Amino acid sequence: MPTSVDLEETTPPPAPDDGSFCATPRNNEVHRSIRLRLRMETASQHSALEARLPVLDPDLAVDVYQNLIARFWGFYRPLEQRLLTVAPRLLRSCEYASRFKTPLLVRDLECFGRLPGTLSQCRGLPELASLPKVLGCLYVIEGSTLGGQVISRYLKIYLGLTRESGAAFFTGYGASSARRWRAFGGFLTDTADALDCDELIVSGAVQTFDAFNNWLAPT
Ligand code: HEM
């Protein structure tokens, strides 16, 4: 993981006065660590998402699971494409090429004989209008690998699924998960310090959780 953070994007970031970057200096007295803030200020959304996902249900049926993977693909695919478009350098800085989730979801879909091309994709993505918001979004995406470690164990017990047979997405980095989360956490903290714009980072995470919750909500 590179220690220096490359914040310069192909498209110049918005000017400080357009609301996309913080215009006010950070107040150190009330400043809490960005990681703590993210966890606390998205906790209710994380709980809502957990409640919505039946992945720990002992009665989980394989067709319900397949539909869920299809839904995840419909969110991650356009989201990761947008991330690549709006923040290619930031993604390179956190070695996102080795973190992409869409290929894992494609692999799972293929195990079930599902063709990604036939599935619908989310149109209500988070706006990701600035680098801090992109960073908040990356926090949500990378954080989901932690839950994946719990979920993949249940998928193996209840459905007999492994990385090779339909649980590649939730297995994620497997035994390397804690190490990779720590590495991402370091990147997040360093980049947040450089951007000095915690409010927008948190708002990017909140919007990402919102968009995902809406996408998974029954229609
Ligand atoms: C039933 C589904 C899920 C379960 C059971 C679950 C469970 C967990 C667990 C056990 C952790 C680790 C908490 C810790 O070590 O302190 C975690 C962290 C996290 N999860 Fe989930 N998760 C689920 C779904 C998701 C999804 C779908 C997302 C996002 C797309 C997500 C985002 C996060 C984030 C961002 C964190 C990091 C929290 C932090 O800042 O430490 N989770 N989750």
Side-chain angles (χ1 to χ4, degrees), residues 31-38 198:
H31 173 66
R32 263 201 303 248
S33 101
I34 183 62
R35 290 182 61 183
L36 186 61
R37 274 199 68 180
L38 282 164
D198 291 2

Side-chain angles (χ1 to χ4, degrees), residues 16-27:
D17 63 352
D18 73 354
S20 299
F21 269 75
C22 286
T24 49
R26 174 187 285 166
N27 178 347

Side-chain angles (χ1 to χ4, degrees), residues 35 38-39 42 46 49-51 53 55-56 72 76 139-148 150-151 181 209 212 216:
R35 290 182 61 183
L38 282 164
R39 179 190 278 195
T42 61
H46 184 271
L49 203 46
E50 267 189 75
L53 296 171
V55 281
L56 303 185
F72 268 61
Y76 277 84
Y139 160 78
V140 178
I141 295 181
E142 277 307 299
S144 68
T145 63
L146 297 180
V150 179
I151 294 164
W181 175 247
F209 265 121
F212 201 16
L216 293 176

Side-chain angles (χ1 to χ4, degrees), residues 178-201:
R179 178 181 59 76
R180 299 216 57 177
W181 175 247
R182 273 195 304 276
F184 177 77
F187 166 80
L188 173 62
T189 309
D190 290 350
T191 311
D193 276 350
L195 292 170
D196 196 10
C197 204
D198 291 2
E199 211 57 46
L200 282 176
I201 298 172

